[in-house]
Amino acid sequence: MAEEEFQYLSGFGNEFASEDPRCPGCLPKTQNNPQKCPYGLYAEQLSGTAFTAPRVTNKRSWLYRIRPSALHTPFKPIDMGNMRDDWNSWYPDPNQLRWHPFTIPDAAKGAVDFAEGLNTLCGAGDPKTRNGLSIHIYACNSSMLHKCMYSSDGDFLIVPQKGTLRILTEFGKMTIKPNEICVIQQGMRFSVQVSEPSRGYILETYNKHFTLPDLGPIGANGLANPRDFLTPVAWFEDKEIQCTIINKFQGKMFEAQQGHSPFDVVGWHGNYTPYKYDLDKFMVINAVAFDHADPSIFTVLTCQSETAGVAIADFVIFPPRWSVQEHTFRPPYYHRNCMSEFMGLIKGKYEAKEEGFRSGGGTLHSMMTPHGPDSECFEKASNANLKAERIADGTMAFMFESSFSLALTEWGNKTCLRVDEEYYKCWQGLKSHFNPNDRLKLSETGGESVSKVKKFSF
């Protein structure tokens, strides 16, 4: 794929229309599905929500294609190794968990494409009832040839860590580099090409689609801006080739065959599309007078549950920024959370654990499992001069946070051979500094005598 073939329309959640310039006028002018489509095309609707969903949340696109996507042989079960939503056969583990960088297949031992290199790390819920999520790791060294895939279970949020992905979708082409993300929504067929060994993370959500978080008191400008989300321009190929269609369905993998390219959409219009986003465009907000701002101020995308303010999954990043703080501990505080937190590192060193947490690896802190800075970070930050300074330059860490209690698959707990058995030791150096005979002056801590504090409750 030539780089100049990748063009984008800007926007997020809006209605778009796109035609391949080789077939101008391929989109009907007066109605969605005329008796006969221009150029002898077939009209096919792809619905991402129920037909009767409210207008503000209704998602669908019309595809005008050379052949309907129904033209294939029956799907048959296949063994895709460790790509399966099976986290009930392994005993739960409440410990702090960390993985060394996940292994990339050695090209000398054979070609492994994106679909073959998928492994399910952990998850919760059930795709059959459309309730839950899963986290996958991909690691590959070759392109998908005459092959595409899609998920009937949910949306794929793809976070490349190493290697550029060139993704061909039914809607057009996208190039996704490390420090960018893309979302391939439920049911959209895609194929991945690579020119180098590649590795990254995938968050799959079953319930709903990702949206931008509400800004509330932040106001109109902040976090991720809608105009920076980019949607591909229509592009098609008309090829009669034997092609394999891989379908993730109810947590299992299936494949079918068809005698033509699945990427034969000449034009499309609608608001249900794949899209990409450059993490460098995130507008950071972070000036702290006391305590430490919750990581929710770094939310890029969210998939909300039916309970207001409670996410099925949030995608949160920790980008380079100015850290401006006074009278407080600068790094993340020690914490126990009613949410599950999976963290990955795209590049650089994460401030709270600069050594053990490495690019291409991950951590999981489950519900109410205590975590926070390691002992070295604590000592350094406790004695630091709290002047304004740049932090996280050259670094991009992220978090998949969920209200679901995540459980590991056998691959995540054992087969991957990447579990760091000594992770717990990073906190063993924390020691007591308590001395009741060496009381700090209250002015130094910004407090006042408890007896002088007026008590009240809301």
Side-chain angles (χ1 to χ4, degrees), residues 102-113 116-117 138-141 197-198:
F102 295 99
T103 304
I104 298 175
D106 185 355
K109 297 181 179 179
V112 178
D113 64 30
E116 294 165 338
Y138 73 83
C140 58
N141 57 34
S198 299

Side-chain angles (χ1 to χ4, degrees), residues 400-411:
F400 298 152
E401 185 174 61
S402 174
S403 59
F404 283 77
S405 185
L406 302 180
L408 298 185
T409 62
E410 185 173 355
W411 183 86

Side-chain angles (χ1 to χ4, degrees), residues 82-93 97 99 119-124 133-137 364 406-416 419:
N82 299 298
M83 178 61 172
R84 53 181 177 270
D85 299 348
D86 180 15
W87 38 77
N88 295 318
S89 61
W90 197 258
Y91 206 78
D93 189 346
L97 295 167
W99 291 268
N119 300 281
T120 305
L121 183 74
C122 59
L133 72 157
S134 53
I135 295 174
H136 314 289
I137 303 298
L364 176 62
L406 302 180
L408 298 185
T409 62
E410 185 173 355
W411 183 86
N413 209 336
K414 179 181 178 182
T415 314
C416 70
V419 176

Side-chain angles (χ1 to χ4, degrees), residues 178-199:
N179 217 52
E180 296 179 327
I181 63 166
C182 73
V183 174
I184 309 293
Q185 303 195 73
Q186 181 188 14
M188 297 177 180
R189 297 181 178 185
F190 68 99
S191 182
V192 177
Q193 296 185 4
V194 298
S195 57
E196 59 186 316
S198 299
R199 174 177 58 201

